[in-house]
Amino acid sequence: MAKYIQLYLDTDFILPIGVGDSGNINKYIDQQASRRLWLYFSRTTNNVIFDSTESNRANFVAGREGFYGNFWMHIENGDKVPGESYKYIELLDLSRIISKLRDWSNETIFTETPEIVLNFSTVIPVKARKVFAAYLEEKLGKIRSYSIELNNMLSSKVLYDNQTLSPSFGDQLLIIQSVGYDILMSTLTWCGDQFMQGDEPFKLRKKGGEYLKEALAKMVVNRYEQSYHMLLPVQLENEYHYQMQFTDEWLKERKGDEDIWIENFHYSNNLAKFYPPIQIDGKQLNLIERDSIRNTINAVSKYYRKNIVNKHLHTILVGDVFKEEVFLKDCVSVTSSDSKYTFFNDNALQEALGRYNVKYSYLEEDLVNLERIFRDKANERSRISAYVHNAEILASLSDGVQSAIREIDSAVYTVNDRNMNLKTSWESLMRQSKFDNASELIAQMSISDDLTISKNHSLDILKKIERNNALLIELQQLQDVRPTIEAIRNGGQRLRELNAKADDLKNLPEILRATIQKYRALYPQYKELRQQFDMETTLVGRRTLVDKMKELTMETMPVIDIEVIKGNVSVKLISKSGFLGMGVKKSIDLKLVLDKPLPCRGVLVVSPKVITCIPEGRIGVYTIDVDKGKENTVVELNVDLQTLGLEKNAKSLFIRFWPHEDEKVPINRFDISGSGTIIL
């Protein structure tokens, strides 16, 4: 792996790391324990040298002459430093930022001319990036690539650090970043294989710690002005900004509601004169901080509710504002109730830079690609918006299907369980032909409103599935979406089955009423046939009447008493010599004689083994069916023993007369003599 420096470039600062031959990461940190190279400048006593320090920011904001900021805006416009021949871009060299990077590179990755990888914050304009890259390549080393922007890099780091996070189509990350004096909020949406950013980041003027510092500076200046009247009204605003650089020191000893003392105060227009200490109300400071935080947190919460429309996967917090513990906790409370968040301080940002696998490309390629992305930003946003919308539809369908299944399944179970005993009682009454009582039971059966509501809900979901069928077919091409789509389709089938059950339950009372009406109308015919049955003496006649009565009532049919069927089976073993007296052929003569007509079919069985039931398919068993209803039945047949598949050592045959296995008419018994085992 080649040696290179990787830079994260934000509104106010540069954050470097170095990567050596073996891939080892070296994090930049100066003698003051700062990891940043600040992009706020001031002239030193040497007229051709500038400082770049954090303290310059407060002086620049205060409007003090000789302090310079808004670096990216000025290099985009090609501006010169006021009153100088130098351009703003040259401040990188004049402030020794270039030499600091070169010296650090030589010390840590042992090269004075390293390759450079640039990671720009989302807010830095394309033109400013190109100017910066060209100047840095001229002064420091070859620009290898732009790599990726911060949001994409940090989302990759979060997935790497949280192995349990498995994003599905449409899952969203919320990124909140403090940039200068603003907070940027944006979302990334998982589009099947990567996170993609949709709309431009939403800018919010941050309050909280900075707001408290501004309020404290105003309080202090106003208190001194009450006594000394050193400033004109038009000078107050600049003085407030100037004094903000000292507020960190003033607040260092702050404890709860205790008052704080302001010491060593001086005006910006007279640095040598110090004024007596004053006391500031600690409770008032707490109220100011709490109110300012609340307003900002409400704005963050509003953005979250509006823009996180699918599953919230994680929150990424970046920037100094989240060093304020109260602000961080409040921000997390409205965006990540499950505590799924990561705060990237400077050290963590450097780790993220080191984690990212830098791509091998040329600056020219990256510039072309970057310009294409910015030029096509509207189409890109439209595409991401479509992803978000489609994922929202998918999630809505999935949740809707599961919710509808739970609702209608519960309603079907409740109604079915409630009416089960009533239906059983109804059937019992119908078997007694108690039609009026059965009708009263039907009146007690209820179809709950829940069943109707849940079925209507399920029908709405099925219509939505049908309307979005083309979208489901399209999205099925994405691997991680397929299980969701399959679950939606399976859920739709389950809903159709439950709807059918719901219809059955809703229609049951009418079906039962129609059944009562039918059998009530047929009841006189049934009673007439029943009387005939009671007077009938022949078995055939009673059987005929039973068959007719079955169609007229739900009452249990009377049992036909069948007398004992007597009969006899005779068996005779026949032996015959074979051709020319060779071998012996054996067969048996069978004769079955019955004294009465059979009430059902029967089976005459001849088997080489004793069996207790006729095997399926009657394999290895010789049988003959005997029809029912014949008077004085006589069955005669001759069976060749070879057809029975007898074993060579078989000594006997098993002979039996049974009811046919498909016969359902009740039989008392057969009393057939002669059945049993025949010795061969």
Side-chain angles (χ1 to χ4, degrees):
M1 178 182 290
K3 303 174 182 179
Y4 61 90
I5 287 178
Q6 194 168 0
L7 304 178
Y8 166 59
L9 303 146
D10 209 329
T11 305
D12 297 342
F13 60 87
I14 300 172
L15 192 71
I17 67 164
V19 180
D21 282 326
S22 61
N24 55 302
I25 306 300
N26 299 289
K27 301 175 183 177
Y28 176 85
I29 184 168
D30 64 17
Q31 294 178 347
Q32 287 74 42
S34 174
R35 301 175 186 271
R36 302 181 179 187
L37 296 167
W38 288 90
L39 297 176
Y40 289 95
F41 307 94
S42 64
R43 184 182 294 281
T44 64
T45 53
N46 185 333
N47 285 337
V48 294
I49 299 297
F50 287 77
D51 277 333
S52 65
T53 63
E54 182 180 11
S55 61
N56 289 334
R57 179 166 62 169
N59 288 288
F60 167 74
V61 173
R64 293 191 64 199
E65 186 176 351
F67 293 89
Y68 310 104
N70 288 338
F71 176 74
W72 299 106
M73 179 193 74
H74 286 303
I75 70 168
E76 180 183 22
N77 297 331
D79 296 336
K80 290 183 178 181
V81 178
E84 304 286 353
S85 61
Y86 313 117
K87 288 187 175 182
Y88 269 86
I89 188 65
E90 295 179 84
L91 291 176
L92 293 173
D93 205 8
L94 296 172
S95 66
R96 293 166 297 184
I97 287 178
I98 298 293
S99 60
K100 286 178 183 178
L101 288 173
R102 184 184 297 113
D103 293 343
W104 173 71
S105 170
N106 195 31
E107 292 172 4
T108 58
I109 61 177
F110 311 112
T111 175
E112 290 187 359
T113 56
E115 290 186 332
I116 312 295
V117 174
L118 305 178
N119 299 85
F120 289 97
S121 172
T122 311
V123 297
I124 298 176
V126 176
K127 186 177 179 180
R129 299 184 192 200
K130 295 171 68 175
V131 173
F132 181 88
Y135 187 81
L136 207 64
E137 187 163 40
E138 175 189 342
K139 294 290 184 177
L140 187 58
K142 177 184 177 182
I143 305 297
R144 172 184 285 187
S145 79
Y146 269 92
S147 191
I148 58 173
E149 292 191 348
L150 178 73
N151 289 358
N152 304 87
M153 183 175 67
L154 296 186
S155 65
S156 174
K157 182 68 164 57
V158 164
L159 285 184
Y160 177 80
D161 290 343
N162 299 271
Q163 299 297 323
T164 57
L165 288 183
S166 298
S168 298
F169 181 73
D171 289 353
Q172 292 178 285
L173 292 176
L174 174 66
I175 298 183
I176 308 176
Q177 178 186 3
S178 61
V179 178
Y181 290 94
D182 297 317
I183 287 178
L184 297 182
M185 291 182 286
S186 57
T187 59
L188 294 182
T189 302
W190 186 259
C191 299
D193 57 358
Q194 63 177 325
F195 283 107
M196 301 184 74
Q197 183 161 326
D199 291 340
E200 292 294 332
F202 174 77
K203 185 181 292 186
L204 172 70
R205 185 68 176 180
K206 76 176 180 182
K207 295 185 179 179
E210 291 294 329
Y211 185 81
L212 177 64
K213 293 176 186 179
E214 184 178 350
L216 177 57
K218 288 182 178 180
M219 291 170 66
V220 171
V221 171
N222 292 340
R223 284 281 301 277
Y224 278 105
E225 279 298 287
Q226 288 174 6
S227 302
Y228 300 104
H229 308 290
M230 298 294 295
L231 302 172
L232 296 173
V234 295
Q235 296 176 306
L236 283 174
E237 196 66 32
N238 286 341
E239 191 66 27
Y240 296 151
H241 288 302
Y242 173 77
Q243 296 297 338
M244 280 183 66
Q245 65 183 303
F246 306 112
T247 53
D248 283 329
E249 189 67 27
W250 296 343
L251 292 168
K252 188 178 296 183
E253 303 300 323
R254 181 184 175 201
K255 295 180 181 178
D257 290 341
E258 295 181 11
D259 296 345
I260 63 172
W261 284 90
I262 308 301
E263 300 178 341
N264 299 322
F265 177 84
H266 63 274
Y267 282 96
S268 60
N269 57 9
N270 189 352
L271 304 183
K273 180 175 177 58
F274 293 92
Y275 290 82
I278 60 171
Q279 191 175 19
I280 299 296
D281 188 342
K283 292 181 179 179
Q284 185 178 0
L285 287 177
N286 286 343
L287 289 174
I288 291 172
E289 182 179 36
R290 177 55 61 185
D291 286 344
S292 65
I293 289 176
R294 184 183 301 113
N295 293 335
T296 306
I297 294 302
N298 288 342
V300 172
S301 177
K302 181 179 179 180
Y303 178 87
Y304 177 87
R305 293 193 306 271
K306 179 180 178 181
N307 292 275
I308 300 296
V309 296
N310 298 315
K311 179 184 176 183
H312 171 244
L313 198 66
H314 205 79
T315 295
I316 294 175
L317 309 173
V318 188
D320 293 346
V321 69
F322 297 106
K323 292 179 181 178
E324 302 163 16
E325 186 176 350
V326 173
F327 189 85
L328 185 145
K329 287 183 177 179
D330 285 355
C331 190
V332 168
S333 70
V334 298
T335 62
S336 303
S337 58
D338 48 8
S339 298
K340 292 190 297 187
Y341 76 95
T342 300
F343 168 44
F344 285 91
N345 56 20
D346 288 353
N347 180 58
L349 281 175
Q350 287 178 316
E351 289 181 0
L353 288 172
R355 164 71 186 86
Y356 179 71
N357 293 323
V358 173
K359 64 184 180 181
Y360 288 85
S361 60
Y362 296 103
L363 177 61
E364 292 77 10
E365 295 176 356
D366 291 331
L367 286 173
V368 171
N369 184 55
L370 187 68
E371 289 175 339
R372 180 195 59 78
I373 290 174
F374 273 76
R375 188 170 56 248
D376 198 35
K377 205 68 176 179
N379 292 335
E380 191 76 2
R381 284 197 295 268
S382 176
R383 189 161 67 94
I384 302 306
S385 177
Y387 275 125
V388 173
H389 180 65
N390 292 344
E392 185 180 7
I393 291 174
L394 204 64
S396 175
L397 282 178
S398 180
D399 293 343
V401 165
Q402 297 307 315
S403 173
I405 287 175
R406 287 193 299 270
E407 288 177 11
I408 193 168
D409 195 24
S410 174
V412 165
Y413 175 83
T414 300
V415 172
N416 189 56
D417 184 62
R418 182 189 302 153
N419 292 339
M420 183 73 71
N421 291 335
L422 290 174
K423 187 171 182 292
T424 301
S425 299
W426 178 87
E427 290 171 348
S428 176
L429 291 170
M430 289 298 291
R431 284 194 291 270
Q432 304 172 59
S433 294
K434 295 183 177 180
F435 304 119
D436 292 339
N437 293 338
S439 296
E440 292 174 2
L441 279 182
I442 294 175
Q444 298 177 34
M445 292 183 177
S446 61
I447 302 300
S448 69
D449 292 339
D450 288 343
L451 186 62
T452 302
I453 293 171
S454 62
K455 187 193 172 186
N456 290 337
H457 182 201
S458 72
L459 290 174
D460 289 340
I461 295 297
L462 289 172
K463 290 177 182 177
K464 287 181 180 179
I465 294 175
E466 185 62 29
R467 284 198 302 269
N468 291 282
N469 187 53
L471 175 62
L472 295 179
I473 294 173
E474 177 185 347
L475 294 180
Q476 202 160 5
Q477 300 173 14
L478 300 174
Q479 184 70 31
D480 61 345
V481 180
R482 289 175 190 168
T484 303
I485 294 176
E486 184 177 348
I488 289 172
R489 296 204 183 281
N490 291 340
Q493 180 59 36
R494 176 63 177 152
L495 283 178
R496 282 186 282 272
E497 294 170 357
L498 288 169
N499 284 347
K501 290 184 178 180
D503 288 338
D504 290 343
L505 287 172
K506 291 177 67 175
N507 295 332
L508 181 61
E510 285 304 314
I511 292 173
L512 297 183
R513 289 189 184 95
T515 302
I516 292 175
Q517 186 176 359
K518 169 187 171 182
Y519 287 120
R520 190 193 294 269
L522 295 173
Y523 189 67
Q525 298 180 48
Y526 163 70
K527 291 295 292 180
E528 182 179 344
L529 290 177
R530 183 56 190 261
Q531 292 176 359
Q532 295 178 24
F533 175 85
D534 293 338
M535 298 172 61
E536 180 62 46
T537 58
T538 67
L539 186 62
V540 175
R542 302 185 84 186
R543 185 180 298 115
T544 300
L545 289 169
V546 165
D547 290 340
K548 292 181 180 180
M549 286 190 295
K550 287 179 182 177
E551 304 299 325
L552 304 176
T553 185
M554 289 178 61
E555 290 189 16
T556 304
M557 292 295 98
V559 175
I560 303 174
D561 295 323
I562 301 175
E563 55 208 293
V564 175
I565 305 299
K566 294 183 179 182
N568 176 266
V569 176
S570 60
V571 183
K572 182 178 181 181
L573 183 61
I574 308 297
S575 298
K576 295 182 180 179
S577 296
F579 181 68
L580 299 178
M582 297 175 62
V584 177
K585 296 181 65 176
K586 292 185 177 181
S587 63
I588 57 173
D589 285 335
L590 293 176
K591 186 176 182 180
L592 171 65
V593 180
L594 302 173
D595 65 340
K596 295 183 179 64
L598 279 175
C600 65
R601 289 179 295 166
V603 182
L604 183 61
V605 180
V606 181
S607 172
K609 294 181 179 179
V610 174
I611 59 176
T612 57
C613 64
I614 301 175
E616 185 177 355
R618 303 182 183 182
I619 299 173
V621 177
Y622 189 87
T623 62
I624 180 171
D625 289 347
V626 181
D627 290 336
K628 67 177 181 178
K630 294 183 178 180
E631 299 284 349
N632 300 318
T633 301
V634 176
V635 177
E636 295 183 276
L637 69 155
N638 178 268
V639 180
D640 187 342
L641 296 186
Q642 290 183 352
T643 64
L644 299 177
L646 291 175
E647 298 175 1
K648 292 182 179 180
N649 59 352
K651 302 297 184 182
S652 61
L653 284 174
F654 176 75
I655 299 173
R656 182 75 181 271
F657 185 62
W658 270 328
H660 194 282
E661 63 266 30
D662 293 332
E663 189 56 68
K664 305 301 181 184
V665 177
I667 303 169
N668 286 353
R669 65 187 176 90
F670 287 164
D671 183 7
I672 308 298
S673 61
S675 300
T677 302
I678 304 300
I679 305 300
L680 299 179

